[in-house]
Amino acid sequence: MKNIYFLIVFGFLLLSCSQNDADQVYINGIVYTVDEANPKAEAVAVKDGLILAVGTTKEIQSYVGNKTEVIDLQGKTMTPGFIESHAHLMGIGYNKLEIDLMYVQTYDELIEKVAEAAAKAKPGEWITGRGWHQDKWIKMPDNTVKGFQTHDQLSAVTPDNPVFLAHASGHASFVNQKAMELAGITQLGSENPKQEIEGGEVLRDELGNPTGVLVETASGLVRKLIPADTPERREKALELALLELAEKGITSFHDAGSGQDVIDLVEQFKNEGKLTSRMYIMLSSRQPDLLQEWYKKGPKIDPDHMVTVRSIKLNMDGALGPWGAWLLEEYEDKPGHTGHETMPISLVSEVSEKGLELGFQVCSHAIGDRTNREVLDRYEAAFAKFPNITDHRFRIEHAQHLHPDDISRFGEMGVIAAIQAIHLSSDRPWAIGRLGAKRIKDGAYVWQKLLQSGAVISNGTDAPVEPLDPIPSFYASVTRKTLKMTPEGGYEPDQKMTREQALKSYTLDGAYSEFEENFKGSIEVGKAADFTVFDRNIMEVPENDILNTKVAMTVVGGKLVYKAK
């Protein structure tokens, strides 16, 4: 009888021990938890993809069982998994399949890259690329119109192939003569009077000749002619994008405007076990029929926390580079021009009311101070119409240039500012020419003012507008310098984030901006085991050493999706 009793007790002990055993433990690290109650630790235990315990290495070793995988961090820094809160999933992948113009420094270099592609292309085959930005070139070509290059050299090296090159911002494009012929874009004259493109512009010289630069919606005149992708190429693009996310430590990704085709493809990858990052997909308002379909069925909130669709992206103005951001006052370097809305501003009211009624979050692209004010006004009116819905978490994507009177409204109204700190590094040196010193000082990239208003800030890169790597964006957040580490002290240094604020903007506040702060975003017991591990301590190294940091490991739901060689 005693033997039976002993066996029963021993069995219960074994069972309780095995239930307490972790699947993985991470030890000997510097763990920044983003948990105010327990901000720093050394080790973490994981079971079934969730965090089982957080503590010292000694404490966590008690969770080691016969089948536990022990990962020695060897002093590396672990944070909650980084959340990219505004980027373009397929664009990241296609950037690797097309001509990458992000790093070209002159127009001549752009021409060289296109000429190389043309030499390999068949006659009539489209040549596409993305990433050029005339304000970042170290030298402009001799022949310019309205601040942009002209197509003459481009057309000369591509006589047999139509070319479409998207601007880094995505708000303009550069095309050759062949592409314009196919689109019917010709010289203005008696047979072809001035053409107005609603929400966009075909740039022309003083004789009415098209220069090859198409701004905002005018890009659609050519883009619509590019042949549709094959399923194989689309899958390849997604594979490359996911690989990039894993390598850069991104465990969750907010896709800033896609259609049903992307949603279906991401779902397919999830079902096939190939999805290595959690997806939060915004429905593109550029597809009205898509919105109507989703209004009928309502949000899709994934119980597996892998593919959620519960937000709508509105594209309400252009970018500052092509003078497309909608301003309250004229551009400093383009008198009489204030930019423009790219969709009827009434759409914000319409979609906001529908969103509140049906449970969709609304995320409005707004760069210029007028667009931000117009969007806030319409959000405010919609909130007043649905006073019982208080947890809406509506967002403004970019929130880049604000009138001082509108800054406090973010916190007062509970509107999230989805910023991309890296834009300051890239744009601030020339943005002052667009806006002037006063507007820059009072309302450009005003992160501390937004935080002091009580607003939540989520961070990101807008990739492929900028590189996906969060380290440069983190660096910009805390230094307000360019990636060449200038100027000394940073631009408008009173608006720097602390490192704690910057880390939170990339983790817990990113999770909050997709209604997931109770599931991820901090290293706490019961939350998702999503981790980013860095090879140096981004919270303590000298600020100019931050840029030398690399991702050592990326973990999603307890699964290792990337490890540096």
Side-chain angles (χ1 to χ4, degrees), residues 508-522:
L508 190 59
D509 285 345
Y512 175 87
S513 67
E514 56 164 305
F515 300 86
E516 286 271 69
E517 75 278 9
N518 293 323
F519 175 73
K520 63 187 180 186
S522 59

Side-chain angles (χ1 to χ4, degrees), residues 26-29 41-44 55-62 64:
Y26 297 82
I27 60 173
N28 298 322
E42 294 177 338
V44 182
T56 65
T57 292
K58 185 177 180 181
E59 289 166 343
I60 295 306
Q61 282 175 329
S62 66
V64 176

Side-chain angles (χ1 to χ4, degrees), residues 37-251:
N38 180 33
K40 205 169 176 183
E42 294 177 338
V44 182
V46 174
K47 189 175 183 67
D48 298 327
L50 301 175
I51 296 168
L52 182 62
V54 182
T56 65
T57 292
K58 185 177 180 181
E59 289 166 343
I60 295 306
Q61 282 175 329
S62 66
Y63 293 89
V64 176
N66 292 332
K67 297 182 179 179
T68 303
E69 181 185 7
V70 179
I71 298 100
D72 188 346
L73 294 174
Q74 298 178 330
K76 295 183 179 70
T77 296
M78 172 187 278
T79 70
F82 267 41
I83 298 171
E84 168 59 69
S85 73
H86 180 110
H88 304 275
L89 183 64
M90 297 303 288
I92 293 167
Y94 284 131
N95 223 36
K96 296 180 176 298
L97 293 173
E98 301 173 346
I99 307 174
D100 185 356
L101 301 170
M102 187 178 291
Y103 300 104
V104 301
Q105 297 189 15
T106 65
Y107 181 42
D108 288 342
E109 193 179 338
L110 179 148
I111 296 299
E112 287 173 16
K113 282 184 169 287
V114 174
E116 288 172 12
K120 301 172 188 172
K122 300 173 185 175
E125 186 178 348
W126 279 83
I127 295 171
T128 57
R130 177 171 179 159
W132 63 274
H133 197 307
Q134 78 288 351
D135 283 303
K136 297 179 184 179
W137 292 344
I138 58 176
K139 185 181 75 135
M140 281 294 286
D142 296 332
N143 188 20
T144 62
V145 174
K146 297 183 180 179
F148 289 96
Q149 71 281 7
T150 60
H151 73 88
D152 301 330
Q153 283 179 262
L154 179 67
S155 296
V157 299
T158 54
D160 302 319
N161 300 88
V163 177
F164 181 91
L165 307 174
H167 191 268
S169 67
H171 291 271
S173 59
F174 185 39
V175 301
N176 69 345
Q177 182 67 39
K178 191 80 171 175
M180 288 189 283
E181 287 171 2
L182 292 171
I185 300 171
T186 57
Q187 182 185 21
L188 296 179
S190 57
E191 295 181 6
N192 181 19
K194 186 173 181 180
Q195 301 166 332
E196 295 292 341
I197 309 296
E198 187 176 355
E201 183 182 4
V202 175
L203 294 194
R204 299 177 182 276
D205 63 19
E206 64 278 3
L207 300 175
N209 297 305
T211 65
V213 175
L214 310 175
V215 179
E216 298 297 348
T217 54
S219 293
L221 297 172
V222 173
R223 185 188 285 113
K224 67 183 180 182
L225 304 177
I226 300 171
D229 260 345
T230 63
E232 293 77 17
R233 191 169 186 268
R234 288 171 53 74
E235 288 187 23
K236 184 64 176 175
L238 181 52
E239 286 172 6
L240 291 170
L242 291 171
L243 183 63
E244 181 78 359
L245 266 59
E247 290 176 352
K248 296 301 186 287
I250 303 299
T251 61

